[in-house]
Amino acid sequence: MSEPWEDEEEGAIKKFMFINRKAPYGTIYALESLEVVLISAAFDQDVSLVFSDDGVFQLKKDQDPESIGMKNFSRTYRALEGYDVEKLYVDKESMEERGLTEDDLLVDVEMLSKEELGNLMNEQDVVLSF
Amino acid sequence: MAMLHIVNKSAFGNATLNSCIKTATQGSSILLIEDAVYAAMGNTSMADIVKEAMNKASISVLGPDLAARGMDQSKVIEGISVIGYDGFVDIVAETDNVQSWL
Amino acid sequence: MPIEVNGKTLETDEEGYLADLNDWEPAVAEVMAKLEDCELTDEHWEIINYLREYYEEYQIAPAVRVLTKAVGKKMGKDKGNSKYLYGLFPYGPGKQACKYAGLPKPTGCV
């Protein structure tokens, strides 16, 4: 039995990079980015995520936004592995400026310098900024 | 005239809090809400600037916005008061004027 | 179109998904299934309950591919395949099972 997703032509896989630079909740960017990431992953694309500047706060452990009337979408980052989205990169310098270490994050990430992130960016077919 | 400055932008990569601190005069209040609450933490590159500002202004931070973002209240810079929505209302009522740094 | 469950009227969207996740109780699934001439068995409930656990943990309804893989991991290969899941939920395990479980429509599901 053939399913819709199996009918997709092989070889149509592109490298998508999502660059997240905004803190969660204050603006809608973080949540919107996550939705697009989930959709592109459902179409079997090669997805990588970068968290830089205030975007590193999206991955902070212990978020509890009920008191401000928002959904706790930080839990959804932990579902990404199940969507085969496993390339998560974080800008080391942004973490340090904000007093964060890898232990403060709710998923496993790779810490990179801005230079290394720039090189990764050059390898992409599509770069989307949020 | 006691003035309340409300800041809602993250202090990292955005000059709003810096401008606010430079503008605030002796005896004024600064309230950090939404994405500005990260600047209240004791271990960031903004901490020294915020501590310096406490010499002239009383600084407070909105607790529910800290909790939403997973930031630990006990790690807020000493001397900054963590307030709730009721405290927010009190400060607004106590001050003569409000400047929102949008 | 609102549905009647245990004497209460619950709001749904135009596709029949529950408007408020908190309104869910097992009877909601029974009522929704009856509307689509589907008899819920223990096998259906196993998937519905798993979807509710998944949502609780990750705050999203999983895409079908993700659900299939996760079911396979948890309940074994004979259940973690689309034939089994479509057999239980012919309208699509994503759409139909998520609806019965009171979840929103899966992200990326057209």
Side-chain angles (χ1 to χ4, degrees), chain B residues 11-12 18 28-29 48 52 54 56 62-63 72 74 77 86 89-91 97:
Chain B
F12 306 98
N18 263 316
S28 56
S29 303
D48 287 339
E52 176 79 33
M54 288 165 72
K56 59 175 179 181
L62 196 61
D72 188 349
S74 67
I77 294 168
D86 48 351
V89 175
D90 290 341
I91 296 190
N97 220 335

Side-chain angles (χ1 to χ4, degrees), chain B residues 43-81:
Chain B
N43 57 353
T44 78
S45 60
M46 278 301 291
D48 287 339
I49 295 166
V50 173
K51 282 178 196 163
E52 176 79 33
M54 288 165 72
N55 290 324
K56 59 175 179 181
S58 64
I59 302 186
S60 42
V61 59
L62 196 61
D65 279 325
L66 282 174
R69 290 160 179 78
M71 304 315 279
D72 188 349
Q73 283 196 16
S74 67
K75 290 180 184 158
V76 163
I77 294 168
E78 210 183 315
I80 293 185
S81 39

Side-chain angles (χ1 to χ4, degrees), chain C:
Chain C
M1 184 184 74
I3 53 168
E4 290 287 331
V5 179
N6 285 342
K8 279 176 287 185
T9 307
L10 307 179
E11 280 305 316
T12 65
D13 68 12
E14 68 273 18
E15 291 175 281
Y17 291 82
L18 216 52
D20 184 351
L21 193 67
N22 298 315
D23 283 341
W24 193 86
E25 53 180 299
V28 169
E30 302 281 1
V31 170
M32 285 179 170
K34 197 167 256 176
L35 286 172
E36 291 175 341
D37 287 323
C38 172
E39 183 80 37
L40 294 184
T41 63
D42 288 350
E43 284 73 32
H44 289 95
W45 277 109
E46 193 178 29
I47 302 301
I48 292 171
N49 289 329
Y50 178 71
L51 278 169
R52 291 193 58 81
E53 278 171 36
Y54 186 96
Y55 190 87
E56 177 65 26
E57 176 82 16
Y58 299 118
Q59 302 288 301
I60 47 165
V64 186
R65 179 174 63 89
V66 177
L67 173 69
T68 309
K69 203 168 68 177
V71 165
K73 222 177 193 175
K74 197 178 156 96
M75 305 168 198
K77 277 268 172 273
D78 51 331
K79 293 182 177 175
N81 62 76
S82 41
K83 194 176 174 207
Y84 175 79
L85 292 171
Y86 273 91
L88 288 175
F89 300 100
Y91 296 104
K95 287 186 186 181
Q96 196 179 1
C98 285
K99 186 158 73 178
Y100 295 174
L103 309 188
K105 196 158 92 168
T107 302
C109 186
V110 212

Side-chain angles (χ1 to χ4, degrees), chain A residues 23-27 54 57 60-65 67-68 97-100, chain B residues 10-13 34-35 38 43-46 64-65 67-71 85:
Chain A
Y25 311 117
T27 62
D54 281 340
F57 286 131
K60 175 71 176 66
K61 271 181 192 164
D62 301 327
Q63 295 177 40
D64 183 15
S67 56
I68 58 168
E97 283 166 2
R98 288 158 183 79
L100 297 176
Chain B
S10 170
F12 306 98
E34 298 171 19
D35 290 345
Y38 296 117
N43 57 353
T44 78
S45 60
M46 278 301 291
D65 279 325
R69 290 160 179 78
M71 304 315 279
Y85 289 114

